[in-house]
Amino acid sequence: MSASVANSSTKVVQGAPVLMLGAVGVVFGDIGTSPLYTLRECLKAAGGVSQANVFGIVSLILWSILIVVTLKYVSFVMRAGNDGEGGILALTALASGVAPERLRNVLLTLGVFGAAMFYGDSMITPAISVISAVEGVTLIDAQLTAWIVPISLVILTGLFAIQKHGTSAVGKVFGPVMVVWFVTLAALGLLHIVQHPVILEAASPTFAISFLAHSPGTAFIVLGSVFLALTGGEALYADMGHFGKRPIRLAWMFLVWPSLVMNYFGQGALVMMHPETLKQPFFESAPSWGLVPLVILATAATIIASQAVISGAFSMTKQAVQLGFLPRIPIVHTSTHEIGQVYVPFINLSLFAAVVFLVVFFKSSDNLASAYGIAVASTMLLTTLLMYFITHCLWHWKPLATALVIGPFAVVDAVFVSSNVSKVLDGGWFPLLAGATLFTVMTTWHKGRETLVDRMKAENLPLKDIIHSLCRGSHPPSRVDGTAVFPGGVAGMTPTAFMHNLKHNRVLHKTNIFLAGTTDNVPHVRDADKAVVEDLGDGCYAVRVRHGFMEIPDVPVLLTLIQKQIPGWTYDAADTSFFLARDTIRATGESKTMALWREKLFAFLGRNAAQAAEYYSLPPNRVVELGGQINM
């Protein structure tokens, strides 16, 4: 799943064909590389090649893609855009905004869990995609088997190393390469369908039903491998904000879906005619002269698929920071034109370490397939549950209509989740462990911030009262020229940095601006709606700031927006000082809402958060940091 974002001007300038090409290059990489290993893993789980197995599995793959991807995501979920944006966190923000008050925290928890599972998927996708492509070299020369892991590590190292340079230049070739990939998938499939056309009978759902009914136990295990054909389906919704609904839908319906179906049917025909090709049915489907080009093309496609997932992890991190589920993390914008192109060094390094571990530990795509699926299936089920609140509370569907649509999707998702449970001991524990760790971090940070805000509201005096008593009391502080800005406060409350400044410097600037920001449940907030200024008197102004969860605060830009709302004042960077509180959080075990270990984790996260000056895009030479200690 990816979550890239582009600015609105890009959508206006670019036409549908350009957006379709971009969507093919970014959105469908993960699901488009699934034919490398899916049918092989399904047949192995079923016990080998037989007509019943091949027809049943191909039929299951076809109808699973139809129900989960085409009907659920393309036709249904993509209707639920959050101001045009998609993805599990965007959907969570939308659903929690319309759901009953008592359920909002539950929905936020579900959304955060889905986001945490997505990170687990982000770790496995590059590993299994690249290593499955490189395994094609064994058909060129069996002695190259020992080089699969080293070659995969070299490719992945290069992939993660180039992230800091941005992907705009490489992205221009993503679309054409993936178009060639999907055309190749269709051609290889068609080649073997023509040779064994009886495989087309598997399009009937009766074969899938018969396969499930004949041996339910085996079929249940096989479903865990059938799900591999659906990984990447969430990306269609996650990247909706980048390309729009129509280009993604058109690309899926007229290129990607037909190509995938033809390739799966072609592989089924091949193994029916030549059961010995089961070891690598995808690469065996190519003529001998095309094997080397196919390995090269497959490697390129898997790199593109990995890039999309990595970029999605960066974008998801930006959303999580803005929504208050992760501490401030250094985020680098790699493009002056595309606001969605960001690079997050910490996430890049963490993903790289996890991917290297997976490749070295599991060594083959066979083994990695055992770890793949449980995280993605969980996210898909949570998406369906969140869609219930969208249909019921936002679209105001009648209960019967909601049940008839959501019910079948939920049952299908639940079956896939349960079928993937059998993979936990064989490797599925890794994404679950990674997801559980991230879930703990995200919920702890969110709860810790809420606790601190509540404490500040209880202990700090209202800002209006402080300003009034200071400026109109019997001993007002000395006033100095210039502007003092206090970012990151709580609305209506006195910032600790302001009190520290008075305590140590004993002066008050001519103009004082107190910024208190909130993140709305929408991706972007219009400039005209970003800030509301309240005149507190005596040269002091309280500014309530709103940002969308896809935006990163830029205080200097914000100050230029509010100039008209403050009579006689103009933002001058050389005449403005920014005061920030650099407080140390101390875990005491006295909190009534958090256990001591969570307090310590929150304090650790706080100590290692990115500098507020960098996060707010403040000029370094105009920042004053004043320290203190906060007891939890």
Side-chain angles (χ1 to χ4, degrees):
M1 160 173 120
S2 175
S4 322
V5 183
N7 57 22
S8 58
S9 62
T10 301
K11 297 178 192 176
V12 173
V13 173
Q14 294 180 346
V18 176
L19 290 172
M20 284 177 61
L21 185 63
V24 172
V26 175
V27 178
F28 302 106
D30 193 355
I31 197 169
T33 52
S34 294
L36 286 166
Y37 45 79
T38 297
L39 187 69
R40 178 192 71 198
E41 297 304 317
C42 290
L43 286 171
K44 287 182 178 178
V49 177
S50 69
Q51 180 167 323
N53 286 349
V54 173
F55 276 52
I57 289 171
V58 170
S59 184
L60 277 172
I61 291 174
L62 169 66
W63 287 94
S64 295
I65 294 176
L66 174 65
I67 294 171
V68 175
V69 183
T70 305
L71 294 181
K72 176 184 168 182
Y73 280 100
V74 175
S75 302
F76 179 57
V77 176
M78 287 182 67
R79 295 180 59 194
N82 189 338
D83 196 21
E85 300 292 343
I88 187 72
L89 282 181
L91 184 63
T92 300
L94 185 63
S96 62
V98 298
E101 184 72 31
R102 67 183 185 278
L103 296 176
R104 289 181 182 176
N105 286 335
V106 175
L107 294 183
L108 284 173
T109 301
L110 291 177
V112 171
F113 183 77
M117 289 298 104
F118 163 75
Y119 282 107
D121 176 38
S122 300
M123 297 170 185
I124 297 181
T125 295
I128 191 172
S129 298
V130 171
I131 204 170
S132 61
V134 174
E135 284 173 344
V137 301
T138 59
L139 298 180
I140 301 172
D141 187 342
Q143 294 183 353
L144 293 175
T145 301
W147 288 92
I148 292 175
V149 170
I151 293 173
S152 299
L153 290 176
V154 168
I155 293 172
L156 290 165
T157 300
L159 176 62
F160 281 94
I162 66 171
Q163 296 303 313
K164 61 183 178 182
H165 301 295
T167 60
S168 56
V170 182
K172 294 177 181 178
V173 301
F174 280 8
V177 170
M178 291 306 294
V179 167
V180 173
W181 171 253
F182 284 114
V183 170
T184 302
L185 289 183
L188 291 176
L190 189 60
L191 174 66
H192 298 290
I193 291 173
V194 170
Q195 294 175 0
H196 196 69
V198 70
I199 191 67
L200 293 175
E201 295 179 11
S204 170
T206 57
F207 288 97
I209 296 171
S210 176
F211 181 81
L212 294 172
H214 182 262
S215 182
T218 301
F220 186 73
I221 296 173
V222 170
L223 282 173
S225 297
V226 169
F227 186 77
L228 296 173
L230 309 178
T231 58
E234 185 87 5
L236 277 70
Y237 177 58
D239 275 303
M240 187 171 65
H242 194 167
F243 302 102
K245 301 176 187 177
R246 189 165 180 266
I248 292 176
R249 284 171 168 167
L250 290 175
W252 171 256
M253 296 299 295
F254 293 104
L255 176 64
V256 179
W257 186 24
S259 298
L260 290 173
V261 170
M262 280 194 281
N263 192 264
Y264 284 123
F265 272 72
Q267 287 190 48
L270 175 66
V271 296
M272 285 287 293
M273 295 184 292
H274 305 285
E276 68 277 7
T277 62
L278 177 59
K279 186 176 180 181
Q280 286 288 359
F282 177 80
F283 289 107
E284 292 277 12
S285 65
S288 57
W289 57 266
L291 181 57
V292 173
L294 184 59
V295 171
I296 295 172
L297 179 60
T299 303
T302 55
I303 290 173
I304 292 172
S306 302
Q307 176 62 62
V309 173
I310 295 168
S311 299
F314 294 161
S315 185
M316 178 77 76
T317 300
K318 185 174 74 169
Q319 293 181 40
V321 170
Q322 284 301 97
L323 289 169
F325 290 108
L326 284 176
R328 294 186 301 267
I329 297 175
I331 297 175
V332 180
H333 287 271
T334 59
S335 172
T336 57
H337 305 291
E338 303 287 341
I339 62 174
Q341 291 188 11
V342 295
Y343 166 63
V344 187
F346 175 76
I347 297 298
N348 191 62
L349 180 61
S350 300
L351 287 179
F352 175 64
V355 169
V356 169
F357 168 79
L358 287 167
V359 171
V360 173
F361 184 81
F362 289 97
K363 293 184 173 60
S364 72
S365 60
D366 279 349
N367 296 332
L368 277 167
S370 298
Y372 205 26
I374 183 67
V376 193
S378 300
T379 302
M380 287 186 172
L381 177 59
L382 292 173
T383 296
T384 301
L385 295 179
L386 291 170
M387 282 300 299
Y388 167 81
F389 293 93
I390 300 299
T391 56
H392 184 66
C393 302
L394 181 62
W395 297 345
H396 305 295
W397 285 15
K398 293 182 178 179
L400 179 60
T402 300
L404 289 176
V405 174
I406 297 296
F409 287 145
V411 169
V412 171
D413 289 336
V415 168
F416 278 122
V417 169
S418 57
S419 65
N420 276 283
V421 169
S422 62
K423 297 181 178 182
V424 171
L425 296 179
D426 294 327
W429 55 267
F430 182 84
L432 290 179
L433 178 62
T437 301
L438 283 163
F439 178 75
T440 302
V441 168
M442 295 168 80
T443 52
T444 297
W445 181 255
H446 187 68
K447 186 63 178 178
R449 287 179 73 252
E450 286 185 339
T451 302
L452 282 187
V453 169
D454 290 342
R455 177 155 297 184
M456 289 178 64
K457 288 181 177 179
E459 297 179 354
N460 291 13
L461 294 174
L463 182 59
K464 284 184 179 180
D465 295 346
I466 288 289
I467 297 299
H468 186 273
S469 62
L470 281 173
C471 299
R472 303 178 189 181
S474 56
H475 300 287
S478 301
R479 305 295 290 255
V480 296
D481 290 336
T483 299
V485 179
F486 302 88
V490 177
M493 306 310 298
T494 306
T496 54
F498 177 69
M499 299 305 296
H500 288 327
N501 184 44
L502 280 174
K503 176 182 177 181
H504 295 289
N505 298 321
R506 301 180 182 179
V507 296
L508 194 64
H509 283 70
K510 181 181 178 180
T511 304
N512 298 272
I513 298 176
F514 304 90
L515 303 178
T518 59
T519 300
D520 287 4
N521 287 342
V522 296
H524 308 281
V525 175
R526 295 188 312 154
D527 285 349
D529 301 327
K530 261 191 168 57
V532 175
V533 178
E534 178 186 1
D535 188 349
L536 303 177
D538 300 293
C540 298
Y541 302 89
V543 183
R544 292 177 180 261
V545 184
R546 297 169 55 210
H547 285 100
F549 58 77
M550 295 301 296
E551 300 174 299
I552 295 178
D554 190 321
V555 170
V557 171
L558 179 70
L559 292 175
T560 62
L561 292 176
I562 65 172
Q563 291 178 121
K564 295 180 179 179
Q565 300 185 54
I566 302 179
W569 177 80
T570 302
Y571 171 59
D572 180 0
D575 195 40
T576 303
S577 297
F578 300 90
F579 291 85
L580 297 171
R582 190 175 178 84
D583 295 317
T584 300
I585 301 170
R586 180 171 172 266
T588 62
E590 298 176 0
S591 171
K592 297 180 180 179
T593 58
M594 297 178 68
L596 178 59
W597 69 268
R598 294 190 78 185
E599 287 186 13
K600 291 182 177 179
L601 175 58
F602 178 71
F604 172 80
L605 294 172
R607 289 194 300 272
N608 290 277
Q611 299 296 320
E614 180 182 359
Y615 179 70
Y616 292 122
S617 304
L618 304 180
N621 60 337
R622 304 300 304 172
V623 175
V624 179
E625 292 189 328
L626 300 165
Q629 181 173 286
I630 299 178
N631 293 326
M632 288 293 292

